[in-house]
Amino acid sequence: TIAFTSDRRSSREVYAALIAAEVSCGYGHFSAHRLISALGLDPADGVVRLSMVHYTSSDDVDRALDVLDRVL
């Protein structure tokens, strides 16, 4: 699991692009409002979270990377 933000796009925008490409992900503060605030981030926008597990295929990863290359 990785969580990240972008200097160019809001977490909501990155999330929307990933979801449009059928990449499973999430965005928000994930009940870590105080941590997100302490990091100087907007809790309303939070971070994008991607998780990979045993059923994540290499095609899933490639699709996520393609979207991130395009959006970021």
Side-chain angles (χ1 to χ4, degrees), residues 13-69:
E13 290 174 308
V14 176
Y15 164 82
L18 289 164
I19 290 297
E22 299 182 355
V23 175
S24 182
C25 63
Y27 91 100
H29 59 72
F30 301 101
S31 300
H33 187 277
R34 289 178 57 197
L35 173 62
I36 296 296
S37 295
L39 291 171
L41 302 172
D42 176 7
D45 193 45
V47 298
V48 178
R49 185 176 70 188
L50 289 171
S51 300
M52 291 174 234
V53 295
H54 65 279
Y55 54 79
T56 303
S57 71
S58 60
D59 288 340
D60 295 330
V61 175
D62 289 341
R63 191 168 56 257
L65 292 174
D66 288 342
V67 171
L68 293 175
D69 280 343

